[in-house]
Amino acid sequence: MESSELKGGKDSQISDELSELRMESSELKKAKDSPISDESNRRSSFPDEVLERVISLLNSHRDRSSVSLVCKDWYNMERWSRTHIFIGNCYSVSPEIVARRFPKIRSLTLKGKPRFSDFNLVPQNWGADVHAWLVVFAAKYPFLEELRLKRMTISDASLEFLALSFPNFKALSLLSCDGFSTNGLAAIATHCKNLTELDIHENDIDDKGGGWLSCFPESFTSLEVLNFANMTSDINFDALERLISRCKSVRVLKVNRSISLEQLQRLLANAPQLTELGTGSFTQELAQRQYEELESAFNNCKNIHTLSGLWEVKGLYLPALYPVSTHLTFLNLSYAVLQSDELAKLLVHCPQLRRLWVLDTVEDKGLEAVGSNCPLLEELRVFPADPFDEEIVHGVTEAGFVAVSYGCPRLHYVLYFCRQMTNAAVATVVQNCPDFTHFRLCIMTPGQPDYLTNEPMDEAFGAVVKTCTKLQRLSVSGYLTDLTFEYIGTYAKNLETLSVAFAGSSDWGMQCVLGGCPKLRKLEIRDCPFGNAALLSGLEKYESMRSLWMSACNVTMNGCRLLAREMPRLNVEVMKEEGSDDDGRADKVYVYRSIAGQRRDAPSSVLTL
Amino acid sequence: MQGVVAIGGGGSESGSMSTVSREENMVVSSEDSSYPDESGLELGLGLSLGGFKVNQVSKGGGQYARILTAKDLPSVVSSAGGSASSSLSPSSSSSSSSSSLSRANITAGTKRTADSVAAAIGSSQVVGWPPIRAYRMNSMVNQAKAVATEGFNATEENHKSETSMVEKNTIGSYQSSGNAKIRKSLFVKVNMDGIPIGRKVDLNAHESYEKLAKTLEDMFLKTNTSVNPVVSRAREHGLMNQITRPSKLLDGSSDFVLTYEDKEGDWMLVGDVPWEMFLTSVKRLRIMRTSEATGLGTQIRILC
């Protein structure tokens, strides 16, 4: 959900221009410092029109932030030309401040709750309600077109307000949000005449039925992206079929499980231009003719590069996908229960794959097939099908991980849930794939050592940070001592996000990270023996970070109070448990920088110090 | 004392019996003065349930309910004869706020120790772990159960059907085999008074009230290992005397009763209606202090 960043040619062209501008600006700065300089002399050396043009082409919000810091003129030019704003923490700034600085925003991306709220660690009514933002924006940005929310709360009333307040509204994307029901979606469908994108993905939505989809008027034809894959209710298929046939520009369609194979075939027949498809249920009794029609429908979709869904898949029908698999770059099988041979058979037909998400039912053998068939693979995510069953002897092990690394040297993003791992295996993996930017390893039993040597997993993560110099994101697991964190602090110089659970031996571990990782932005820690000394060692650092989360550690209320007192520009929030001592342990601490001051919407269980 | 709540469905017969027993229980428990109210265990109500306010008493402080942390491990490590701490680092002294528990120097002790540590904190006991979004967990449970049993069948069927891909009878029989049936999961939230963080339980994974109660007891009240965060905290504060043995949620011997919110938004005592009917009307569960449950019996009587 980061703001779209241009890749490829255009971006490098812009960065070239940008570096020229930077050189120019440092000269300008020198000129500025000299006592004889005056405004007109400075400006004439670089015409405004050119500067404005160049700045307006910048899409990366980080580049734009850099640009705005050069001098006042640049700041103003940048702020007038910015149309998309990305806010990683909705409480770091207020909508009024945003509206004051950026008059021309058309697209907003907002993230709210701390990431651990995805795992039920944050109370329900914690906050991050988007309504206040909508109210301000309705007044200041009536031409708003796009809203993308992640981990925010949005009510049906807010959705209706959104639908009615912004006549140009085009794109709504909700990921991991809560507080709304299908009634809110109905309001969007009914009133947003120019809607191009409706992406409702993995939210805690109160699904009251599929009638919302029928609310799109017959005159509505602008839809390009529709994703309701994670909703459970049946929708009116006729309404969907009509919608898809009249919206000729639909390129992304992800339906939910209520859509059968036969229905899918009819949708595909109407939308051969699709580039991304999420199927419905992939199991049904199909007659020969029906199967052939399905296969033919897939055959006509020459542009599909992303495929997902495949709920309740029967391996039997996977060959229908072969016409499409040859140009697939992203295959999301994370809801498809496949065995290793079924996956292997399919992957033979997917040589172009860059991103693959699977369930661990494919086991190590399935991952061997990945290594053998997908040499271009860049991202692999392996999810556990049954995370709580400890008797299970299935799933993936270190062997599968190693097998993939041998076959896929370009791998740079991994999310791997497993029940056993060894230091040696991880060392081999990073030797084969040194370009990791995102390394998220979850050994599912907390505090589990190397299962062969019984040693801590310190050396595994040591190998990761030493070898993968581009590492931006790291999630550690297993039995880890402070040594892991010494390694991280020493080597992980590009690390931005670190997630730690059930690890470490003492304050020293956290201190190493805070002292050693210059680019650290997000640090989330649970169930570790880090206390006040560790917390306070980061005093200076937290202002350069987006946020810090510490839960079930050894931090006390007094430690938090001290932090809050010393650093007034940080919000230090403690999620209280009822009746706990004021001087006792602070069980959940969330610290983040903010220019908006303390938030006023915190529930009583959240204490801002 | 007779079980309060009808177990595994039943009609009016159990209903009337349970009503009487319930009243008795309430009387009994209100007379039981040695219960946690006085013990200093904090009571505060969970966050997500509306309406009910509970007096908060906290003496001896500390947290009644907290997520299992590594600090709870020493009670396992040391009891397993934890080997001498080859102290991991010179600065292994804990932060100033360390509790009375010795800091879990989870040493690289014997394999047995490490195993017992790992085993003690099985994944299933820890809130929010493994870190998988709730949505994904709900979706996967029902599919995975199907595969465990039909895994072999699937492989065989695939080979058989390779050439005659869509022979109707093959597919038909495959799908109608008992193993191929996919059970939907029905996750509902469960909160217990005094514990801010709730859990979720799949009602469709249980066939009866008794099974459900057992699961909930394991989740919230289990006392036989130190894994349960609730109990280990209580033990830590020397309050175990007040919790004598595993409480039973359904037979009235506990100071908690199991209640649920139905589709109309009313809070009812669990067990009055047949299990299947319960499944269709339940929205969420709450393990409520018996003292709070006084109004509920009335509701049920009116409805019956």
Side-chain angles (χ1 to χ4, degrees):
Chain A
M1 285 284 294
E2 301 290 319
S3 72
S4 55
E5 305 206 5
L6 289 179
K7 300 280 172 224
K10 195 163 180 205
D11 207 25
S12 55
Q13 179 196 338
I14 291 175
S15 351
D16 285 344
E17 288 169 350
L18 189 58
S19 30
E20 278 177 35
L21 287 171
R22 278 185 179 137
M23 281 178 357
E24 184 74 42
S25 81
S26 57
E27 285 168 27
L28 286 176
K29 268 194 167 150
K30 286 184 210 143
K32 193 173 165 188
D33 287 342
S34 85
I36 342 166
S37 68
D38 72 280
E39 295 249 348
S40 52
N41 271 353
R42 266 187 287 126
R43 290 232 197 124
S44 63
S45 65
F46 205 83
D48 277 353
E49 300 81 29
V50 179
L51 188 58
E52 278 171 29
R53 175 82 181 116
V54 171
I55 291 182
S56 69
L57 291 174
L58 289 175
N59 278 355
S60 149
H61 63 273
R62 287 192 203 178
D63 282 345
R64 280 183 164 269
S65 298
S66 309
V67 158
S68 64
L69 292 173
V70 169
C71 66
K72 195 147 189 227
D73 287 340
W74 283 44
Y75 175 87
N76 281 321
M77 269 184 255
E78 191 281 310
R79 76 183 188 93
W80 276 94
S81 64
R82 198 187 291 214
T83 56
H84 170 250
I85 184 148
F86 167 80
I87 296 170
N89 175 3
C90 64
Y91 287 120
S92 63
V93 72
S94 76
E96 290 84 4
I97 295 175
V98 171
R100 239 193 336 262
R101 177 171 168 186
F102 299 109
K104 294 243 187 105
I105 296 297
R106 290 203 300 270
S107 162
L108 170 70
T109 301
L110 261 180
K111 294 190 183 178
K113 304 184 196 179
R115 193 177 76 95
F116 281 178
S117 71
D118 283 348
F119 320 127
N120 290 337
L121 289 181
V122 171
Q124 277 284 69
N125 55 349
W126 182 85
D129 192 313
V130 77
H131 197 77
W133 289 82
L134 293 177
V135 166
V136 171
F137 283 13
K140 304 287 184 180
Y141 304 133
F143 39 81
L144 189 74
E145 293 174 4
E146 295 182 5
L147 184 67
R148 297 173 201 285
L149 303 180
K150 186 170 184 180
R151 289 189 205 102
M152 303 271 310
T153 296
I154 181 164
S155 67
D156 286 345
S158 296
L159 282 167
E160 189 170 5
F161 179 77
L162 170 68
L164 295 171
S165 310
F166 303 100
N168 272 358
F169 195 71
K170 295 205 167 91
L172 177 66
S173 167
L174 301 175
L175 171 58
S176 240
C177 295
D178 65 350
F180 64 107
S181 79
T182 39
N183 291 342
L185 298 184
I188 297 284
T190 308
H191 300 293
C192 296
K193 310 260 178 285
N194 294 311
L195 199 70
T196 59
E197 177 175 338
L198 184 59
D199 185 346
I200 310 299
H201 188 60
E202 288 191 359
N203 300 288
D204 189 5
I205 179 175
D206 183 3
D207 194 332
K208 295 185 169 172
W212 61 273
L213 191 111
S214 311
C215 291
F216 285 109
E218 289 299 318
S219 56
F220 172 74
T221 57
S222 49
L223 197 65
E224 296 171 22
V225 173
L226 179 62
N227 175 6
F228 61 98
N230 301 125
M231 294 173 53
T232 45
S233 299
D234 291 1
I235 47 113
N236 180 328
F237 178 70
D238 282 337
L240 177 63
E241 195 177 14
R242 284 201 310 275
L243 178 68
I244 297 304
S245 5
R246 66 178 185 269
C247 295
K248 301 292 177 202
S249 307
V250 166
R251 48 185 172 82
V252 174
L253 178 62
K254 297 180 184 174
V255 300
N256 71 0
R257 299 154 115 137
S258 73
I259 302 296
S260 70
L261 278 177
E262 199 185 331
Q263 292 172 329
L264 179 69
Q265 183 269 322
R266 281 158 64 177
L267 292 172
L268 289 178
N270 276 319
Q273 75 280 5
L274 282 181
T275 59
E276 294 183 29
L277 173 67
T279 75
S281 170
F282 220 74
T283 172
Q284 185 184 352
E285 266 182 47
L286 285 183
Q288 180 71 20
R289 187 185 53 83
Q290 286 170 311
Y291 177 82
E292 284 169 2
E293 279 177 352
L294 180 67
E295 200 175 23
S296 155
F298 275 117
N299 200 30
N300 283 337
C301 296
K302 309 276 184 214
N303 299 317
I304 292 182
H305 56 67
T306 293
L307 186 65
S308 59
L310 295 164
W311 310 91
E312 291 148 12
V313 64
K314 290 291 183 269
L316 213 51
Y317 293 140
L318 288 178
L321 296 172
Y322 291 169
V324 159
S325 10
T326 31
H327 25 263
L328 278 184
T329 55
F330 179 19
L331 181 56
N332 179 353
L333 298 171
S334 64
Y335 292 106
V337 176
L338 288 178
Q339 308 304 307
S340 49
D341 52 339
E342 293 169 319
L343 178 69
K345 269 177 41 183
L346 177 60
L347 287 181
V348 168
H349 300 266
C350 306
Q352 303 286 329
L353 224 48
R354 305 286 197 277
R355 301 171 66 195
L356 176 64
W357 296 14
V358 291
L359 283 177
D360 66 357
T361 53
V362 303
E363 298 186 359
D364 289 333
K365 257 190 82 198
L367 293 181
E368 281 169 31
V370 173
S372 313
N373 291 297
C374 307
L376 301 176
L377 199 71
E378 297 172 11
E379 174 179 329
L380 175 68
R381 302 196 195 195
V382 182
F383 295 94
D386 214 338
F388 300 119
D389 192 341
E390 277 142 48
E391 273 96 70
I392 243 187
V393 291
H394 310 304
V396 294
T397 72
E398 78 280 5
F401 199 10
V402 170
V404 173
S405 74
Y406 275 115
C408 309
R410 300 195 194 182
L411 200 62
H412 68 81
Y413 191 121
V414 73
L415 169 62
Y416 201 81
F417 284 88
C418 58
R419 288 184 174 84
Q420 64 188 49
M421 188 52 60
T422 66
N423 288 309
V426 174
T428 306
V429 166
V430 294
Q431 197 174 17
N432 294 336
C433 307
D435 296 328
F436 273 111
T437 55
H438 297 69
F439 193 93
R440 302 165 64 187
L441 176 61
C442 181
I443 304 168
M444 286 191 276
T445 304
Q448 183 171 302
D450 178 321
Y451 84 101
L452 285 181
T453 65
N454 212 45
E455 284 170 1
M457 295 296 296
D458 294 336
E459 294 306 318
F461 294 104
V464 172
V465 294
K466 284 177 201 166
T467 316
C468 307
T469 51
K470 302 182 209 164
L471 195 69
Q472 292 168 24
R473 180 171 181 185
L474 179 64
S475 299
V476 299
S477 59
Y479 168 30
L480 302 174
T481 71
D482 283 345
L483 185 55
T484 296
F485 303 102
E486 281 181 33
Y487 285 142
I488 294 175
T490 309
Y491 294 101
K493 294 306 178 188
N494 283 316
L495 192 65
E496 297 178 12
T497 304
L498 178 63
S499 304
V500 185
F502 305 101
S505 331
S506 73
D507 285 335
W508 173 240
M510 186 169 162
Q511 286 167 338
C512 286
V513 171
L514 289 170
C517 299
K519 295 199 184 169
L520 195 64
R521 292 187 305 120
K522 286 177 281 186
L523 181 56
E524 44 187 32
I525 301 173
R526 61 166 292 181
D527 294 89
C528 296
F530 305 137
N532 290 340
L535 175 71
L536 296 170
S537 71
L539 218 57
E540 308 287 315
K541 189 160 182 89
Y542 300 133
E543 271 188 8
S544 66
M545 289 169 54
R546 183 190 294 176
S547 64
L548 165 73
W549 167 283
M550 285 179 81
S551 62
C553 297
N554 286 345
V555 174
T556 68
M557 294 298 292
N558 279 340
C560 296
R561 282 199 193 94
L562 187 57
L563 176 61
R565 200 162 50 233
E566 294 297 311
M567 307 296 297
R569 279 198 304 256
L570 295 179
N571 280 357
V572 179
E573 297 185 6
V574 176
M575 274 157 259
K576 250 182 3 145
E577 293 185 3
E578 303 282 331
S580 56
D581 279 352
D582 262 358
D583 284 335
R585 195 172 295 117
D587 197 59
K588 292 191 186 138
V589 182
Y590 184 50
V591 179
Y592 57 92
R593 64 180 175 191
S594 175
I595 56 174
Q598 291 189 3
R599 62 183 176 116
R600 271 161 266 136
D601 63 352
S604 53
S605 59
V606 174
L607 208 61
T608 307
L609 301 176
Chain B
M1 176 162 306
Q2 272 296 359
V4 177
V5 176
I7 295 193
S12 49
E13 168 198 30
S14 43
S16 53
M17 181 174 74
S18 57
T19 310
V20 170
S21 310
R22 213 178 301 119
E23 283 177 311
E24 278 181 341
N25 295 335
M26 286 179 218
V27 169
V28 168
S29 57
S30 63
E31 287 174 346
D32 180 14
S33 60
S34 65
Y35 203 69
D37 285 279
E38 277 72 36
S39 68
L41 293 177
E42 58 100 4
L43 301 179
L45 188 59
L47 291 155
S48 62
L49 300 181
F52 298 85
K53 284 285 181 208
V54 178
N55 293 330
Q56 299 178 19
V57 181
S58 70
K59 304 165 187 150
Q63 296 150 346
Y64 180 62
R66 49 190 287 284
I67 302 167
L68 174 71
T69 77
K71 281 177 290 309
D72 297 312
L73 295 180
S75 55
V76 177
V77 172
S78 45
S79 66
S83 44
S85 334
S86 51
S87 204
L88 289 167
S89 67
S91 52
S92 61
S93 57
S94 319
S95 58
S96 52
S97 62
S98 65
S99 64
S100 54
L101 286 176
S102 61
R103 169 55 218 134
N105 276 321
I106 311 171
T107 69
T110 60
K111 187 165 170 39
R112 187 174 54 100
T113 308
D115 274 355
S116 52
V117 164
I121 332 172
S123 304
S124 57
Q125 296 289 347
V126 183
V127 175
W129 189 265
I132 301 165
R133 282 200 194 132
Y135 175 82
R136 186 174 280 285
M137 292 209 295
N138 278 358
S139 306
M140 282 189 307
V141 166
N142 52 0
Q143 294 195 73
K145 292 273 191 284
V147 101
T149 46
E150 58 176 277
F152 295 114
N153 297 344
T155 320
E156 284 162 10
E157 287 294 344
N158 276 343
H159 291 154
K160 236 197 293 179
S161 314
E162 216 164 319
T163 45
S164 56
M165 181 77 67
V166 286
E167 273 174 14
K168 196 160 179 176
N169 19 349
T170 312
I171 297 168
S173 63
Y174 177 61
Q175 286 196 324
S176 59
S177 79
N179 286 341
K181 200 163 127 206
I182 291 170
R183 179 187 53 79
K184 269 184 63 167
S185 63
L186 179 61
F187 274 98
V188 295
K189 293 187 181 163
V190 191
N191 284 82
M192 174 163 168
D193 287 2
I195 301 178
I197 297 294
R199 303 288 299 273
K200 274 195 172 168
V201 65
D202 180 2
L203 293 180
N204 277 345
H206 304 79
E207 303 103 51
S208 68
Y209 287 117
E210 202 164 40
K211 295 235 167 84
L212 173 64
K214 179 77 179 57
T215 299
L216 294 177
E217 283 156 22
D218 286 350
M219 265 185 194
F220 289 96
L221 299 172
K222 205 176 173 89
T223 59
N224 58 0
T225 67
S226 63
V227 175
N228 187 300
V230 167
V231 173
S232 56
R233 262 288 152 240
R235 186 180 288 154
E236 184 184 304
H237 290 271
L239 298 163
M240 276 309 291
N241 307 329
Q242 278 81 16
I243 302 179
T244 48
R245 64 184 177 288
S247 319
K248 290 267 171 227
L249 280 170
L250 291 188
D251 69 3
S253 65
S254 160
D255 297 278
F256 290 90
V257 290
L258 183 58
T259 65
Y260 71 100
E261 183 182 16
D262 69 8
K263 289 210 147 87
E264 278 88 53
D266 298 320
W267 285 92
M268 322 283 276
L269 278 170
V270 162
D272 265 4
V273 300
W275 175 253
E276 288 71 28
M277 196 184 301
F278 166 70
L279 290 182
T280 58
S281 60
V282 61
K283 267 175 48 180
R284 55 185 167 154
L285 300 171
R286 174 177 161 200
I287 303 172
M288 196 186 284
R289 299 206 147 271
T290 312
S291 46
E292 293 295 318
T294 44
L296 297 183
T298 321
Q299 274 180 318
I300 291 173
R301 252 181 277 133
I302 289 172
L303 281 176
C304 286

